[in-house]
């Protein structure tokens, strides 16, 4: 966890600077209607989303193939960006709709388009046709950021899980803790079942509602489990080694 959080924290300066440099030149060349800080916020969000994608690819793909997979995924997302073909066209079939909705670029493009089109609407211009041609909606102004943040969280969680699973000791540690807590839960249920029924106490009405440990099953005691938990508290994961493949 410390290694993972350290990597994320170390990326914060670059995440803030790269969009700023890009938007500075892009804003001068394009001269959009929306404010500079609005587009900086948008591109900062896009940077965070695709940085999380980079973490995901670096964990699950070998280094020799990571760049190729990353480029191909970006190209695929761009093709499903909702511009050509449009979201309106892709929405005619359920499977094409799923494809276009799974692309982060599709939500990013719709968000940028909606931000810009709102400025024209403030000038009392009719922009409904422009939105309808692409299949976009004003709701994207609020929905798209939420979806992009959700995609980021999914990529980060999967990256963390993949990073943990690459350490054999961590995998064995998870298995051990799982067995410990399952045994502790079973013993508590057995104790609850064997206690005498008292007024106001919760009891199980039927024998079939709970599986009680048989005598001699799970011979490990609470002391054994506590020892395992104490060993887990002092567990130190090995330092991450670079993938030499």
């Amino acid at each position: 966890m410390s290694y993972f959080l350290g990597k994320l924290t170390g990326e914060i300066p670059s995440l803030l600077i790269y969009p700023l440099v890009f938007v500075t030149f892009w804003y001068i060349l394009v001269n959009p209607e929306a404010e500079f800080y609005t587009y900086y916020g948008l591109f900062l969000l896009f940077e965070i989303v695709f940085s999380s994608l980079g973490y995901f690819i670096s964990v699950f793909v070998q280094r020799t193939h990571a760049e190729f997979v990353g480029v191909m995924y970006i190209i695929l997302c761009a093709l499903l960006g909702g511009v050509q073909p449009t979201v309106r066209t892709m929405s005619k079939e359920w499977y094409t709709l799923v494809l276009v909705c799974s692309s982060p670029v599709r939500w990013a493009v719709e968000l940028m388009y909606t931000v810009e089109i709102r400025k024209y609407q403030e000038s009392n211009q009719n922009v409904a046709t422009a939105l309808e041609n692409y299949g976009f909606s004003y709701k994207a102004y609020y929905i798209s950021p939420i979806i992009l943040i959700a995609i980021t969280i999914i990529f980060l969680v999967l990256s963390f899980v993949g990073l943990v699973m690459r350490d054999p000791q961590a995998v064995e540690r998870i298995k051990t803790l799982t067995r410990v807590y399952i045994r502790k839960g079973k013993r508590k249920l057995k104790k609850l079942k064997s206690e005498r029924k008292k007024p106001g106490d919760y009891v199980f009405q039927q024998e079939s509602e709970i599986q009680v440990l048989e005598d001699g099953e799970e011979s490990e005691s609470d002391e054994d489990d506590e020892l395992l938990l104490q060993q887990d508290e002092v567990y130190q994961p090995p330092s991450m080694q670079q993938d030499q493949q």
Side-chain angles (χ1 to χ4, degrees), residues 165-198:
M165 292 304 175
R166 292 177 65 178
D167 181 7
Q169 295 185 19
V171 175
E172 188 62 30
R173 173 191 177 197
I174 294 174
K175 292 180 179 179
T176 301
L177 291 178
T178 302
R179 290 195 297 267
V180 167
Y181 286 111
I182 289 177
R183 288 199 303 265
K184 290 173 71 70
K186 286 183 177 180
R187 280 194 291 271
K188 289 181 180 179
L189 291 176
K190 181 180 179 181
K191 182 179 180 181
L192 179 63
K193 180 65 179 179
S194 61
E195 287 180 351
R196 181 179 298 179
K197 180 178 178 181
K198 298 179 181 179

Side-chain angles (χ1 to χ4, degrees), residues 76-106:
L76 180 61
C77 287
L79 293 175
L80 299 174
V83 178
Q84 188 61 36
T86 63
V87 175
R88 182 180 180 182
T89 302
M90 298 289 285
S91 301
K92 294 181 179 180
E93 300 291 342
W94 68 269
Y95 51 88
T96 55
L97 179 61
V98 171
L99 286 175
V100 73
C101 289
S102 62
S103 170
V105 177
R106 172 255 192 272

Side-chain angles (χ1 to χ4, degrees), residues 4-20 40 44 47-48 51 55:
F4 186 72
L5 294 178
K7 291 290 291 184
L8 295 181
T9 305
E11 292 289 333
I12 291 178
S14 60
L15 290 176
L16 296 175
I17 294 174
Y18 292 161
L20 179 61
Y40 173 70
L44 176 61
E47 176 78 10
I48 294 173
S51 293
Y55 300 144

Side-chain angles (χ1 to χ4, degrees), residues 89-241:
T89 302
M90 298 289 285
S91 301
K92 294 181 179 180
E93 300 291 342
W94 68 269
Y95 51 88
T96 55
L97 179 61
V98 171
L99 286 175
V100 73
C101 289
S102 62
S103 170
V105 177
R106 172 255 192 272
W107 300 105
V109 170
E110 185 173 10
L111 179 58
M112 289 184 60
Y113 192 82
T114 307
V115 167
E116 188 69 12
I117 211 73
R118 285 169 66 92
K119 291 297 180 179
Y120 290 94
Q121 186 184 28
E122 293 175 0
S123 303
N124 297 323
Q125 299 184 39
N126 187 6
V127 297
T129 303
L131 289 171
E132 184 179 354
N133 289 337
Y134 289 101
F136 293 158
S137 172
Y138 280 119
K139 296 180 180 179
Y141 188 80
Y142 307 99
I143 297 177
S144 293
I146 297 175
I147 294 177
L148 290 173
I149 292 173
I151 293 174
T152 302
I153 294 175
I154 292 173
F155 278 139
L156 290 178
V157 170
L158 292 177
S159 300
F160 176 73
V161 172
L163 195 62
V164 171
M165 292 304 175
R166 292 177 65 178
D167 181 7
Q169 295 185 19
V171 175
E172 188 62 30
R173 173 191 177 197
I174 294 174
K175 292 180 179 179
T176 301
L177 291 178
T178 302
R179 290 195 297 267
V180 167
Y181 286 111
I182 289 177
R183 288 199 303 265
K184 290 173 71 70
K186 286 183 177 180
R187 280 194 291 271
K188 289 181 180 179
L189 291 176
K190 181 180 179 181
K191 182 179 180 181
L192 179 63
K193 180 65 179 179
S194 61
E195 287 180 351
R196 181 179 298 179
K197 180 178 178 181
K198 298 179 181 179
D201 289 346
Y202 179 83
V203 295
F204 294 95
Q205 301 299 327
Q206 297 181 1
E207 187 75 19
S208 59
E209 292 184 17
I210 180 173
Q211 293 182 352
V212 183
L213 288 175
E214 300 294 339
D215 293 338
E217 183 182 356
E218 300 288 357
S219 59
E220 293 84 351
S221 63
D222 288 333
E223 290 75 12
D224 296 332
D225 291 341
E226 292 298 331
L227 179 60
L228 287 174
L229 293 177
Q230 291 176 6
Q231 293 175 352
D232 176 70
E233 291 178 357
V234 298
Y235 169 80
Q236 295 293 334
S239 58
M240 296 299 300
Q241 298 179 355

Side-chain angles (χ1 to χ4, degrees), residues 38-94:
T38 300
Y39 277 105
Y40 173 70
L42 293 180
F43 282 99
L44 176 61
L45 177 60
F46 304 157
E47 176 78 10
I48 294 173
V49 172
F50 287 99
S51 293
S52 65
L53 169 65
Y55 300 144
F56 175 79
I57 293 177
S58 65
V59 170
F60 288 95
V61 181
Q62 293 183 358
R63 177 178 298 182
T64 54
H65 302 147
E67 293 184 1
F68 174 78
V69 173
V71 171
M72 293 304 298
Y73 181 80
I74 296 298
I75 293 176
L76 180 61
C77 287
L79 293 175
L80 299 174
V83 178
Q84 188 61 36
T86 63
V87 175
R88 182 180 180 182
T89 302
M90 298 289 285
S91 301
K92 294 181 179 180
E93 300 291 342
W94 68 269

